[in-house]
Amino acid sequence: MRYGIISDIHSNLEALEAALDFLRDVDALICPGDIVGYGPNPNECCDIIRERGVITVLGNHDAAVIGQMALDWFNPLARAAIEWTADQVTAANRAFLESLPLVHRLEHFVLVHGSLSSPEQFDYITSPWETIPTFAEMPPHNLCFVGHTHIAEYYARPTGELQADQISMASGGTVALSAEFLYIINCGSVGQPRDYEPRAAVGIFDSDAGTVDIQRIEYPIAATQKKMRKAGLPKPLWTRLEFGA
Ligand code: ZN
């Protein structure tokens, strides 16, 4: 089974369409959260995720838009975009966001936006020591897909040990999974990369081959920026797209 992984889409329709075009041959799609927030097309992105039956968990921006998370958690720019998004989302898409779980456990992997130990708090995993609570909650699974940081990277830890290695995947590449290790994998962000690589990040998990392939995909960034400017979204939110920062 081949799964396409599209995380942190953030209402960026051009990036989502480019990602889905690249992933057109996969068997299923999974989204580790944050369909909305920051970008100009929240409804179009929700419609696609809903209609395609993407296996999705709730992200912190999704939660804030439906009033399940306090706005003071966010910086002023993110908050402005959340408030704008909350005014835009249709009743159907609001209901869809409200239906999303915090954690999904499937046959081959676990899916969560931030961390598995306290998914409702959306803790960030940015260093090996921050992986410890999530690794502790993973068994019987040995693979967990996360989002949230917008940085393509993974953490690998030998079974029965506490020390994990942190490996950057910002330039893409393939992770060959071993049964002797536990893995937390962030395939990066489709709609707002922050690993100094502005192209959309997508993953392909092949459960038969035991591989996770991360790729970067070109999309028309200027078109997204133009829409954000027109919508009156804060300037730093659209200028950052061309730097991937
Ligand atoms: Zn995000």
Side-chain angles (χ1 to χ4, degrees):
M1 181 111 172
R2 292 171 80 243
Y3 298 88
I5 300 143
I6 44 172
S7 191
D8 294 272
I9 296 157
H10 284 296
S11 304
N12 187 333
L13 182 61
E14 288 73 26
L16 177 59
E17 285 176 338
L20 291 177
D21 183 52
F22 180 78
L23 297 170
R24 59 190 173 277
D25 295 330
V26 299
D27 302 306
L29 290 163
I30 63 177
C31 174
D34 276 0
I35 302 168
V36 300
Y38 295 130
N41 289 110
N43 285 313
E44 292 81 354
C45 292
C46 281
D47 289 345
I48 290 171
I49 297 299
R50 216 151 46 88
E51 286 158 12
R52 301 277 302 251
V54 179
I55 302 157
T56 307
V57 289
L58 189 75
N60 56 317
H61 286 253
D62 307 320
V65 163
I66 56 173
Q68 289 184 9
M69 196 161 178
L71 289 183
D72 56 14
W73 195 93
F74 296 87
N75 70 55
L77 298 175
R79 201 183 310 157
I82 287 164
E83 286 171 337
W84 180 88
T85 304
D87 282 343
Q88 305 288 320
V89 285
T90 62
N93 285 331
R94 173 174 288 274
F96 168 64
L97 295 173
E98 286 169 352
S99 75
L100 296 176
L102 287 162
V103 176
H104 242 310
R105 280 186 185 267
L106 286 98
E107 185 187 354
H108 299 288
F109 60 88
V110 195
L111 191 60
V112 69
H113 187 59
S115 99
L116 211 46
S117 56
S118 52
E120 74 290 349
Q121 291 185 19
F122 300 103
D123 294 328
Y124 288 90
I125 296 178
T126 60
S127 65
W129 74 268
E130 287 167 324
T131 63
I132 293 171
T134 291
F135 276 128
E137 296 290 331
M138 277 169 53
H141 289 86
N142 72 336
L143 175 60
C144 179
F145 288 109
V146 298
H148 202 24
T149 65
H150 302 202
I151 289 170
E153 64 177 6
Y154 74 97
Y155 298 85
R157 194 179 90 175
T159 312
E161 293 185 25
L162 280 179
Q163 184 62 42
D165 283 329
Q166 178 178 18
I167 295 109
S168 170
M169 296 293 278
S171 305
T174 302
V175 188
L177 303 172
S178 157
E180 318 282 298
F181 283 77
L182 302 175
Y183 297 91
I184 297 170
I185 300 185
N186 190 327
C187 294
S189 168
V190 168
Q192 196 208 71
R194 293 178 191 162
D195 41 18
Y196 301 99
E197 163 50 280
R199 292 179 294 170
V202 301
I204 297 177
F205 167 46
D206 186 325
S207 60
D208 299 321
T211 55
V212 178
D213 190 32
I214 295 175
Q215 298 270 353
R216 306 305 289 237
I217 312 296
E218 301 268 6
Y219 77 94
I221 293 173
T224 309
Q225 291 177 309
K226 195 172 165 190
K227 285 192 211 167
M228 291 174 78
R229 192 169 59 224
K230 223 171 147 190
L233 287 158
K235 185 174 179 181
L237 295 184
W238 47 269
T239 53
R240 71 188 300 174
L241 293 179
E242 68 200 69
F243 304 107

